[in-house]
Structures are given as structure tokens and as C-alpha cells.
Amino acid sequence: MLAISIEALIKIALLMGGLMTAAAYFVLLERWIAAWVQDRKGPNRVGIPFTKIKLFGLGQPLADGLKFIFKEEHTPRHVDKILFTLAPISILSAALAVYACIPFGSVLPKGAIPGVDHQIELIAAPGIDVGMIYIFALSSIAVYGVILGGWASNSKYSLLGGLRSSAQLIAYELPMGLSIIGVVLLSGSLRLEDVIGSQASSGMWNAFAQPLGFVIFVVASFAEAARLPFDLPEAEQELVGGYHTEYSGMRLIVYLIAEFLHMITASFLIVILFLGGWHLWGITGSTNEVTWFQAIARIVVLNVKIFGVIVFFMMIRWSWPRFRFDQLMSLAWKVMLPLGLVNLVAVACFVEYEAPLKAKLGVLGLTAAMWGLSLLAWIAAGILAPLHTDNSARKDEFVLAAEDRNLGLRSHV
Amino acid sequence: MKPDDPKVKWVEEPKLGLAGKMYLPALIQGLAVTTKHLFAPKMTVSFPEQRPEIGNPLIYRGVHRLNKDEQGRVKCVACFLCATACPAHCIDIIAAPSPWPDRDKYCESFTIDELRCIFCGMCEEACPVDAVELTSLFDLTGRSREEMIFDKEKLLSVYDMTKDAEPMKSASLGGAP
């Protein structure tokens, strides 16, 4: 019992330390990529304190952290103080608790640590059978943090921002759930370890088997993490600000860390559910009988994939303009949701009739059929769904209004 | 202006084609553009180590200077045109009868509050004797507010500092030397 607790505590410490450092350094990476895309150099000044050594600006997160510690913690007088403090705490704790069920590697070889007779799995809470439900339930709690923050701020900008963000988060939860059901059907388990295991043993990543589900999941996780092009929770240029308009100092940074953690979680899930997790053909193997080389290779492969997805997240930020809110909603309800249903039905048929179809078409033919169906559904969505909603002033209405005005004027004269 | 005015040109938004509605081709286009810029040469000037290049110092609007004539006296005749033209009211002149026979007045004190100055160059335009000019010095810093209020001596010392690098503009622009 004691040994298991110590093991879990070590894993939690590793995860928390790694995640917090990663969040800080991903802020730096984001600023770098932003600068490079705009032909600038980005942060390159802060190095080792009290020396002239610059270290490519790698000391920047440390300086940012110090700045935040010394920043004034201001609570506006008109807020609900308890909820105002509780909101960022709830969002951060939910964002961190998700990692209990997310594997950050595979397993260590047997007898890796003397005195431990079982195999050590690199996940904080191994063997939870409802892992995936737990993860998505907890990541939905972000909605509470957002709406509590907006409500407790007692300001109309924050309240509207909170409502806007929660509407967005809830809308994108549905297509995300639909695309996950496809994965669950295909791998037959709600445990992320098993999802990776099934992809590794068949060698066929879920992204190849169900491209539509992959795209829907990626788009929905962009929206869930409130990243561009869906960052309406804080569209700092066009809108006054979102649910955290009234926040400052440490509470604001807690919100921002939670936002970055959402992005990291989203990349973990994209990689684990659709891109094979730690699996790479010919290197990592597929069973739990691992050598030290394989165990380390699996961790490296997983992290490199996650890093790639995060860089993709950051590149998208500078590649695409932000959605308008009505476009965002129409994309969720009129495009993603029907596409998710199509994907679900297709995967269900795939699982149900796999054996006879495989005999007739072969594995490649089956995959090609899935891809063809996805493409067809996509084109149909492009043609049928009104993605482009026009809200410019209509000319005829405008003319009528002007005539009314003129008539009124004349009657006055 | 009425909406049915023939001068009003109504522009319709272009309709999205299938590729635009399907998002993915446009996404790939956008990603290609940003990726190209990711590796493009950077344009940042790392300022203290690397001085930015100023195109033409004669038309750059940096710190002011008060020009001297060939006898080393201040050129200003205390006509107050610069102070009148200044939109930020940052020029303060105290005039006194000139000790020299060739002009009536000279400036006993001439201060420019560089903190208020917006570097519009109107003083330079207004000056009939080309006494006040803007140089190409751009890194204007000080440790206190008082230090940023430039008096006559300081403005004349800016002239001594910059006269070799930047000749008086009046000469090059065809005015009186």
C-alpha cells in the first residue's frame, strides 16, 4: 500500500513539475513562433540573472514568473470575492486533475526498480476503466470556471464574455464526444492505455481509419482549448475581453496557465486517440514486454508527437483569421455535428462488418472506403451547410429605412 | 448621402467556392504562407548593439539643436515664431535686446521641453533664420524630468555634437548659410 502511494506521489510530482515547466516554456515558444512568423526575432534577452549571458532568451519564463509574483493582487470592490477567487482555482484544478488518466509513456521494463515486483505503468492512476469518461467530464468543468469568473466579476463585459465562452465550449463538446465514440468503438475500451495498445498492435492509427473523426476532434479541441481561430473567450482586438476582464495578477495567470494546460491536454488526446500515442512502426513494439530502449523510445516518440501537435496549434494561430461568433456556432451545429454522426455511423458499420468487408476489399480497400466516405460527407457539408452567414446591411432594407426617415422629415417640415 | 445615390457603389462580397467552403485548401494555403515566414530572414534591429539605419539625416526629426552663426553666436533672433507654431507649447523663449549691432533681439533663454515635444518639425519650418533644427539623434533619454528640459546651452551643445555629421539644412536646401 505504502509502496503504491509513494509510486503515485512520485508520478504526480513528475507530471506536475513537467506540466508547469512545459506551460511556462510553451509561452516562450508561442512568443518565438509568433515573432518568427512575423519576421521578428522574439524574446532573446533574458538569460542568467546578473550576468551578460543571454542563452537565447531561455530565462524569459523565469522573469515572467518573478514579475507575476511581485505583481499587485487587485480585487475590484464590486466582485463576489469568494467566487472570484474560486473560479480560477476550479478551472486550474480541473485542468490538472485530468492528467491522472493520461499516460505520459508506456511501461517501464520488469524489475526496473529493485523491490517493486509489478510493472510500473507511466500514468498517475493506472487501470481506471472509465478513464476517457473521467477526462472528458473533468475538461467540461472548464465551463464552470469560465461562467463563475464571468458571473463573480459583476461586470457586464465579463458576464457576456463568460456566457459567450460557455456557449462555445458546450457547443464543441458534442462533436468532440461523437468523434470519441468512434475511437471507443474501434478500440473497444475506455482506457487510453488500451486505445494506444490497440493502435500499436494493428499498426493502424485511428487517424487513418477514421479521417473524419480525426478532423472533427482536432477542430473541436481547438475550440475547447479556446485557441485561434476559436479564441472568442478573449478576442482582445475586437471584443472588450472575455470572462477574465476584471482579473489581474496571480488569478489571471492561473487562468492563463489553465488555458495552456488545455492546449497541452488537447495535444495529448489528439496524439493518444488518433496518432498512435507512443507507437512508431518498427521501433517501439506493441506489447508490454519492453526493453529499456523501447521504454525510453516510447516516451520520446510520444513527446515528439505532442510537441509537433503543439507547434501546429501555434502555427494555426497565425495562419487563420478568427471566426465570428455566429460562424463559430453554425460551424459547430450545422457542420461538425452532422459530420460527427456520419463518422459514428461509418465507424459502427466498419466495426460490425469488418470481417466480411476485409475478405472482399482487403485492409487497404476498407481504409479507402472510409476515406472516400469522409471526403463525400465533407463535400456535402461544404455544399449544404451555410458556413458563410451574411449579416451585412441589406440594400433594400436600407433604402426603405432611409425613405421612412425622409417621410418623417417631410411631415415635420 | 442616401443609399440609392448613384455615387454609392455597392460591393457584394465574393461568393465562396467549394474549396473555400471546405476550409481545408485555404487552411493549407495559410499554413504555407506562415511556414515560409517562419524561416524568412528577420528584420529586427537589436537596438543597443546595432544602430538602426536612418534614411536621410537631413529630413529625420530627432532631438533639437540651436544653430550658431559663423562667429559662434546663437542664431536665434527671439521672434517667437517657433513657440507660436508649436502645437505642444513646449518652447519657452525669453527675449532680450541684442548685445550685437547686427540684430535687435536675441534669446536670453531658450528651453524646449522634450517630454512634451511631439517632434512634428513645425518649429523648424517656422524659423525665419534657420536657428532651430531637428537632428537625427533619436535615442533621447534622461534620468529625471528636469534633465529632459533642454535649455539654451544644452541645445547649443547638441549643435556642436552634430554639426560635422549634419550640416545646416538651410545650406543644402538652398537657403541662407
Side-chain angles (χ1 to χ4, degrees), chain A residues 106-180:
Chain A
S106 174
V107 289
L108 293 182
K110 271 221 171 77
I113 295 159
V116 180
D117 49 352
H118 61 276
Q119 207 169 30
I120 290 178
E121 292 181 74
L122 296 178
I123 175 170
I128 290 184
D129 283 328
V130 289
M132 221 186 282
I133 294 175
Y134 167 81
I135 288 167
F136 290 103
L138 267 185
S139 44
S140 324
I141 286 189
V143 178
Y144 289 96
V146 164
I147 210 159
L148 263 186
W151 172 257
S153 296
N154 196 10
S155 128
K156 53 181 171 286
Y157 302 114
S158 301
L159 180 61
L160 287 175
L163 290 176
R164 199 174 59 222
S165 315
S166 51
Q168 172 188 338
L169 294 184
I170 291 169
Y172 277 88
E173 212 119 273
L174 298 168
M176 194 182 218
L178 282 178
S179 61
I180 293 160

Side-chain angles (χ1 to χ4, degrees), chain A residues 75 79-90 148-149 152 247 251:
Chain A
T75 314
V79 301
D80 183 330
K81 285 201 176 54
I82 297 171
L83 292 184
F84 192 72
T85 314
L86 216 56
I89 295 177
S90 73
L148 263 186
Y247 280 87
R251 288 181 205 140

Side-chain angles (χ1 to χ4, degrees), chain A residues 36-37 39-41 45 54 312 315-316 318-320 323 378-379 382-383 387-388 395 398 402 406, chain B residues 2-3 10 13 16 18 21-23 26-27 30-31 34-35 37-38 40-44 46 49:
Chain A
W36 293 339
V37 166
D39 295 344
R40 296 185 282 117
K41 278 185 182 156
R45 296 287 157 148
K54 278 186 183 169
F312 177 68
M315 290 294 293
I316 288 289
W318 304 106
S319 307
W320 258 31
F323 275 74
W378 194 313
I379 290 174
I383 293 169
L387 297 179
H388 177 249
K395 195 179 167 186
F398 204 42
N406 289 347
Chain B
K2 287 176 193 167
W10 286 85
E13 272 182 69
L16 278 179
L18 185 60
K21 277 182 181 170
M22 285 176 66
Y23 284 90
L27 170 66
L31 267 179
T34 35
T35 314
H37 278 278
L38 202 55
K42 308 299 172 217
M43 299 189 189
T44 314
S46 305
E49 298 95 29

Side-chain angles (χ1 to χ4, degrees), chain B residues 15-160:
Chain B
K15 280 247 183 308
L16 278 179
L18 185 60
K21 277 182 181 170
M22 285 176 66
Y23 284 90
L24 213 54
L27 170 66
I28 290 165
Q29 243 174 11
L31 267 179
V33 170
T34 35
T35 314
K36 217 185 292 166
H37 278 278
L38 202 55
F39 303 105
K42 308 299 172 217
M43 299 189 189
T44 314
V45 176
S46 305
F47 166 56
E49 298 95 29
Q50 198 186 342
R51 305 287 295 186
E53 268 177 40
I54 289 173
N56 182 358
L58 288 179
I59 54 175
Y60 191 85
R61 296 203 288 248
V63 182
H64 308 76
R65 72 180 184 194
L66 263 182
N67 287 337
K68 291 178 184 170
D69 60 10
E70 45 298 344
Q71 298 169 45
R73 310 172 304 183
V74 62
K75 266 188 131 187
C76 174
V77 293
C79 67
F80 288 90
L81 277 180
C82 54
T84 312
C86 179
H89 303 299
C90 64
I91 302 180
D92 199 16
I93 303 172
I94 296 173
S98 161
W100 312 300
D102 56 342
R103 61 176 115 149
D104 290 337
K105 291 194 293 178
Y106 89 119
C107 54
E108 196 176 59
S109 124
F110 190 109
T111 50
I112 297 181
D113 188 347
E114 300 281 353
L115 291 171
R116 291 182 69 167
C117 176
I118 56 169
F119 297 94
C120 62
M122 297 258 237
C123 47
E124 183 178 33
E125 297 273 335
C127 187
V129 292
D130 296 318
V132 60
E133 275 182 351
L134 289 126
T135 62
S136 64
L137 294 180
F138 56 85
D139 44 348
L140 177 67
T141 53
R143 286 168 196 278
S144 63
R145 291 184 163 269
E146 289 72 36
E147 210 175 288
M148 297 299 284
I149 297 171
F150 280 29
D151 57 5
K152 193 168 104 181
E153 281 66 45
K154 197 155 180 181
L155 289 166
L156 285 170
S157 73
V158 176
Y159 171 76
D160 292 333

